[in-house]
Structure formats: C-alpha cells, structure tokens
Amino acid sequence: MSFSYGDEQISFERVLRHQGSSKALIKVYPDCRVVVSAHEDACNDDVLTAVKKRGRWIYEQLRDFRKQLEHITPRQYISGESHYYLGKQYQLKVIEDLSQAPGVKLLRGKLEVTIKQKSPEAVQKVLVDWYRVRAKEVFAKRLDAMLEQALWVNERPPMRIFSMKTQWGSCSPNGRLTLNPHLVKASRECIDYVILHELCHIAEHNHSERFYRMLAGVLPNYMKVKDILDAKVSEFVS
C-alpha cells in the first residue's frame, strides 16, 4: 500500500496485529521500510487513513534514516573493518601469505582472513564462503533445537542456504526451509526466531491470527527479537 506526502509517494507493508490495542501500529526501520501492523478486521481504507494522519512523522523518520544511510560506507574488506558473527562484532585482519591456503579464523576478537594476494574481491569471496559454511553448521544445530519446541512438525524439514536481499528465511508449500546465510551474523536468539517463524509456516502458510498465536506460544517475545533483527538489516546484508 502507499500514500502521497508532499511530492513523495511512500509505500508501506501491512501486516497482521493480533494482540494489544485496536489502533494501527506504525514502524519505520533504519533500512527505510515502513511496516503497519493492523487487526485483521480493519479495512484498508481505515488503515490508510491512520497512516496518512502520521504522514509527517513517517516522512521525517524516512528523511533521518536516509541521511544515516548516506554515511554508511560500503565495505572495503580491509584490515580494521568491523564484521559480525553470531551477534558479536569482530575486527577484520587481512593476512597475505602465499604459503597458506585461503581461510578464516576467529582469534582473540578478530576475524583473520588469510589470502595469497591482497584484494577486496579476494577477501570478500573468502569471507562469503566462510559465512556460508558456518551458516550451514549453525542453522542445522539450531533447527534441531527448535524442532524440540515445534511439536506440530512431524519430521525434520529439508533446509537450504540461499542469499536473499529482503528475507531472512522462507518456507515452501512442501515444507522446505530456506535460510539467508547473512542471518549467521545475528545472535542465536534472532536465528531461533527466524527458524521458528518458518517452522510455524509448515502448519500455517499465511500470516494469519493462528500463525501468530502459534509463534507467540513458542516465543512470547518474538516481536522484540524481530525488531532487534530488523534494525540490523543494513549492517548484516551490506
């Protein structure tokens, strides 16, 4: 959905609000997404009216976040940069060594990347490959742990790792989970939330009231965890 404010057309996503006040809840995230939580019985016209009333606030939030994004410099993959793994920040240290095979080590608060010849592209490739391997291992362990809570799942679902720009995970109609390797940069709590979210889709494919009741039943603070994860999108995916 979208509305006009001044000379700008602002788009927003409507999602289901299954508890709390009957009013629409409007959030603007650091990556400039606008998400409106509204009850299932609220018609689109009423939601749009509520959003327009907060038009000035939404516009100002977007303006401020856009200014912040302008100052986020693209990663250069050089020593001294900060990179995430399992919710913690690590300083990147690039080591050039012709005698060693390219690889990554976590050592004393640093991500040590060894390559044969220094170049941003080479460092990026080694890091991306390392994150993917770690993601496969971490996600498999967390999936096993979350299946102990997801009593509605009869058998371990197949899982694949696939990079996505706008999603942390997805669940196909036949129950296959797809998880974003960038998610391994987040905390275990955030990883568990995404996995549980997708496991709920095995029983309920839509974001219905039943879906959110199921999710809240296994993770009561899921909204808080979701907000933490959403606030880090630009840092994790860049």
Side-chain angles (χ1 to χ4, degrees), residues 19-50:
Q19 59 186 5
S21 170
S22 61
K23 292 182 179 179
L25 177 66
I26 304 169
K27 290 189 177 182
V28 182
Y29 290 99
D31 62 349
C32 294
R33 287 180 302 117
V34 181
V35 178
V36 180
S37 303
H39 281 271
E40 198 169 24
D41 56 358
C43 70
N44 283 341
D45 286 344
D46 289 342
V47 172
L48 194 57
T49 298

Short mmCIF file of all heavy atoms in Angstrom, two decimals, residues 19-50:
data_model
loop_
_atom_site.label_atom_id
_atom_site.label_comp_id
_atom_site.label_asym_id
_atom_site.label_seq_id
_atom_site.Cartn_x
_atom_site.Cartn_y
_atom_site.Cartn_z
N GLN A 19 -2.65 -8.78 18.69
CA GLN A 19 -2.87 -8.53 20.11
C GLN A 19 -2.64 -7.07 20.42
O GLN A 19 -2.12 -6.31 19.62
CB GLN A 19 -1.93 -9.40 20.95
CG GLN A 19 -0.45 -9.16 20.65
CD GLN A 19 0.44 -10.14 21.40
OE1 GLN A 19 -0.03 -11.05 22.06
NE2 GLN A 19 1.74 -9.94 21.31
N GLY A 20 -3.09 -6.66 21.63
CA GLY A 20 -2.91 -5.28 22.04
C GLY A 20 -4.00 -4.36 21.53
O GLY A 20 -5.11 -4.78 21.24
N SER A 21 -3.68 -3.09 21.42
CA SER A 21 -4.64 -2.06 21.01
C SER A 21 -5.19 -2.32 19.61
O SER A 21 -4.56 -2.97 18.79
CB SER A 21 -3.95 -0.69 21.06
OG SER A 21 -4.76 0.28 20.46
N SER A 22 -6.39 -1.79 19.38
CA SER A 22 -7.01 -1.93 18.05
C SER A 22 -6.43 -0.92 17.06
O SER A 22 -6.71 -1.00 15.86
CB SER A 22 -8.53 -1.74 18.16
OG SER A 22 -8.83 -0.44 18.66
N LYS A 23 -5.63 0.02 17.55
CA LYS A 23 -5.04 1.02 16.67
C LYS A 23 -3.94 0.41 15.81
O LYS A 23 -3.29 -0.56 16.20
CB LYS A 23 -4.46 2.18 17.48
CG LYS A 23 -5.50 3.03 18.21
CD LYS A 23 -4.83 4.17 18.95
CE LYS A 23 -5.86 5.05 19.66
NZ LYS A 23 -5.20 6.16 20.40
N ALA A 24 -3.73 1.00 14.64
CA ALA A 24 -2.64 0.56 13.76
C ALA A 24 -1.30 0.97 14.38
O ALA A 24 -1.16 2.08 14.89
CB ALA A 24 -2.80 1.16 12.38
N LEU A 25 -0.35 0.07 14.35
CA LEU A 25 0.99 0.33 14.87
C LEU A 25 1.93 0.57 13.70
O LEU A 25 2.09 -0.30 12.84
CB LEU A 25 1.47 -0.85 15.72
CG LEU A 25 2.88 -0.75 16.29
CD1 LEU A 25 2.97 0.39 17.31
CD2 LEU A 25 3.29 -2.07 16.95
N ILE A 26 2.54 1.76 13.65
CA ILE A 26 3.39 2.14 12.52
C ILE A 26 4.85 2.15 12.94
O ILE A 26 5.21 2.78 13.94
CB ILE A 26 2.98 3.53 11.98
CG1 ILE A 26 1.50 3.54 11.62
CG2 ILE A 26 3.84 3.93 10.78
CD1 ILE A 26 0.96 4.93 11.33
N LYS A 27 5.69 1.47 12.17
CA LYS A 27 7.12 1.46 12.46
C LYS A 27 7.90 1.79 11.19
O LYS A 27 7.58 1.30 10.11
CB LYS A 27 7.56 0.09 12.98
CG LYS A 27 7.05 -0.23 14.38
CD LYS A 27 7.70 -1.49 14.92
CE LYS A 27 7.25 -1.77 16.34
NZ LYS A 27 7.92 -2.97 16.91
N VAL A 28 8.92 2.63 11.36
CA VAL A 28 9.84 2.95 10.27
C VAL A 28 11.21 2.40 10.67
O VAL A 28 11.73 2.76 11.73
CB VAL A 28 9.93 4.47 10.01
CG1 VAL A 28 10.86 4.74 8.84
CG2 VAL A 28 8.55 5.05 9.74
N TYR A 29 11.77 1.53 9.85
CA TYR A 29 13.01 0.86 10.18
C TYR A 29 14.21 1.57 9.56
O TYR A 29 14.07 2.32 8.59
CB TYR A 29 12.96 -0.60 9.72
CG TYR A 29 12.00 -1.43 10.53
CD1 TYR A 29 10.71 -1.70 10.05
CD2 TYR A 29 12.37 -1.94 11.78
CE1 TYR A 29 9.82 -2.46 10.81
CE2 TYR A 29 11.49 -2.69 12.53
CZ TYR A 29 10.21 -2.95 12.04
OH TYR A 29 9.34 -3.69 12.79
N PRO A 30 15.41 1.34 10.13
CA PRO A 30 16.62 2.00 9.63
C PRO A 30 16.91 1.77 8.15
O PRO A 30 17.60 2.57 7.52
CB PRO A 30 17.73 1.40 10.50
CG PRO A 30 17.05 1.04 11.77
CD PRO A 30 15.69 0.56 11.35
N ASP A 31 16.40 0.66 7.58
CA ASP A 31 16.62 0.43 6.15
C ASP A 31 15.51 1.07 5.30
O ASP A 31 15.37 0.78 4.12
CB ASP A 31 16.72 -1.06 5.85
CG ASP A 31 15.45 -1.82 6.18
OD1 ASP A 31 14.55 -1.25 6.83
OD2 ASP A 31 15.33 -3.00 5.80
N CYS A 32 14.71 1.95 5.97
CA CYS A 32 13.66 2.76 5.31
C CYS A 32 12.43 1.94 4.90
O CYS A 32 11.67 2.37 4.02
CB CYS A 32 14.22 3.54 4.11
SG CYS A 32 15.43 4.80 4.61
N ARG A 33 12.22 0.81 5.53
CA ARG A 33 10.97 0.10 5.33
C ARG A 33 9.93 0.66 6.29
O ARG A 33 10.24 0.94 7.45
CB ARG A 33 11.13 -1.41 5.59
CG ARG A 33 11.89 -2.15 4.53
CD ARG A 33 12.02 -3.63 4.85
NE ARG A 33 12.67 -3.82 6.14
CZ ARG A 33 12.08 -4.39 7.19
NH1 ARG A 33 10.83 -4.80 7.13
NH2 ARG A 33 12.75 -4.55 8.32
N VAL A 34 8.71 0.81 5.81
CA VAL A 34 7.60 1.25 6.65
C VAL A 34 6.64 0.06 6.79
O VAL A 34 6.17 -0.48 5.80
CB VAL A 34 6.86 2.45 6.03
CG1 VAL A 34 5.72 2.91 6.96
CG2 VAL A 34 7.83 3.60 5.76
N VAL A 35 6.40 -0.35 8.03
CA VAL A 35 5.54 -1.51 8.30
C VAL A 35 4.40 -1.09 9.22
O VAL A 35 4.63 -0.46 10.26
CB VAL A 35 6.34 -2.66 8.95
CG1 VAL A 35 5.42 -3.84 9.26
CG2 VAL A 35 7.47 -3.10 8.03
N VAL A 36 3.19 -1.42 8.83
CA VAL A 36 2.00 -1.06 9.59
C VAL A 36 1.30 -2.33 10.07
O VAL A 36 0.88 -3.16 9.26
CB VAL A 36 1.02 -0.21 8.74
CG1 VAL A 36 -0.21 0.16 9.57
CG2 VAL A 36 1.72 1.04 8.22
N SER A 37 1.21 -2.49 11.39
CA SER A 37 0.51 -3.64 11.96
C SER A 37 -0.93 -3.23 12.26
O SER A 37 -1.16 -2.26 12.98
CB SER A 37 1.20 -4.10 13.26
OG SER A 37 2.55 -4.41 13.03
N ALA A 38 -1.88 -3.97 11.70
CA ALA A 38 -3.29 -3.65 11.90
C ALA A 38 -4.08 -4.94 12.10
O ALA A 38 -3.70 -6.00 11.60
CB ALA A 38 -3.84 -2.88 10.70
N HIS A 39 -5.19 -4.83 12.82
CA HIS A 39 -6.02 -6.01 13.07
C HIS A 39 -6.65 -6.51 11.78
O HIS A 39 -6.86 -5.76 10.83
CB HIS A 39 -7.09 -5.69 14.12
CG HIS A 39 -6.56 -5.70 15.52
ND1 HIS A 39 -6.53 -6.83 16.28
CD2 HIS A 39 -6.03 -4.71 16.27
CE1 HIS A 39 -6.01 -6.54 17.47
NE2 HIS A 39 -5.69 -5.26 17.48
N GLU A 40 -6.95 -7.79 11.79
CA GLU A 40 -7.47 -8.45 10.60
C GLU A 40 -8.77 -7.83 10.11
O GLU A 40 -9.04 -7.77 8.91
CB GLU A 40 -7.68 -9.95 10.90
CG GLU A 40 -7.79 -10.82 9.68
CD GLU A 40 -7.73 -12.30 10.04
OE1 GLU A 40 -8.05 -12.64 11.20
OE2 GLU A 40 -7.37 -13.10 9.16
N ASP A 41 -9.60 -7.36 11.06
CA ASP A 41 -10.91 -6.81 10.68
C ASP A 41 -10.87 -5.34 10.29
O ASP A 41 -11.89 -4.76 9.92
CB ASP A 41 -11.92 -7.01 11.82
CG ASP A 41 -11.45 -6.41 13.13
OD1 ASP A 41 -10.33 -5.87 13.15
OD2 ASP A 41 -12.19 -6.47 14.13
N ALA A 42 -9.68 -4.72 10.33
CA ALA A 42 -9.55 -3.31 9.91
C ALA A 42 -9.47 -3.26 8.39
O ALA A 42 -8.63 -3.93 7.78
CB ALA A 42 -8.32 -2.68 10.54
N CYS A 43 -10.34 -2.47 7.77
CA CYS A 43 -10.32 -2.38 6.31
C CYS A 43 -9.14 -1.52 5.85
O CYS A 43 -8.61 -0.70 6.61
CB CYS A 43 -11.64 -1.82 5.78
SG CYS A 43 -11.93 -0.08 6.14
N ASN A 44 -8.76 -1.70 4.61
CA ASN A 44 -7.60 -0.98 4.07
C ASN A 44 -7.78 0.53 4.11
O ASN A 44 -6.83 1.27 4.34
CB ASN A 44 -7.32 -1.43 2.63
CG ASN A 44 -6.64 -2.79 2.57
OD1 ASN A 44 -6.06 -3.24 3.56
ND2 ASN A 44 -6.71 -3.45 1.43
N ASP A 45 -9.00 1.00 3.89
CA ASP A 45 -9.26 2.44 3.91
C ASP A 45 -8.99 3.03 5.29
O ASP A 45 -8.42 4.12 5.41
CB ASP A 45 -10.71 2.74 3.49
CG ASP A 45 -10.93 2.54 2.00
OD1 ASP A 45 -9.94 2.49 1.25
OD2 ASP A 45 -12.10 2.45 1.58
N ASP A 46 -9.40 2.30 6.34
CA ASP A 46 -9.16 2.78 7.71
C ASP A 46 -7.66 2.79 8.02
O ASP A 46 -7.16 3.71 8.68
CB ASP A 46 -9.90 1.90 8.72
CG ASP A 46 -11.41 2.09 8.66
OD1 ASP A 46 -11.85 3.13 8.12
OD2 ASP A 46 -12.14 1.23 9.17
N VAL A 47 -6.97 1.75 7.55
CA VAL A 47 -5.51 1.68 7.78
C VAL A 47 -4.82 2.83 7.06
O VAL A 47 -3.95 3.50 7.62
CB VAL A 47 -4.95 0.33 7.29
CG1 VAL A 47 -3.42 0.33 7.35
CG2 VAL A 47 -5.51 -0.81 8.12
N LEU A 48 -5.24 3.08 5.84
CA LEU A 48 -4.63 4.16 5.06
C LEU A 48 -4.89 5.52 5.71
O LEU A 48 -4.00 6.37 5.75
CB LEU A 48 -5.20 4.15 3.63
CG LEU A 48 -4.47 4.97 2.58
CD1 LEU A 48 -3.00 4.56 2.48
CD2 LEU A 48 -5.15 4.83 1.22
N THR A 49 -6.08 5.71 6.24
CA THR A 49 -6.41 6.97 6.94
C THR A 49 -5.51 7.16 8.15
O THR A 49 -4.99 8.25 8.40
CB THR A 49 -7.88 6.97 7.38
OG1 THR A 49 -8.72 6.90 6.23
CG2 THR A 49 -8.22 8.24 8.16
N ALA A 50 -5.32 6.08 8.91
CA ALA A 50 -4.46 6.15 10.10
C ALA A 50 -3.02 6.47 9.73
O ALA A 50 -2.34 7.26 10.40
CB ALA A 50 -4.52 4.82 10.86
#
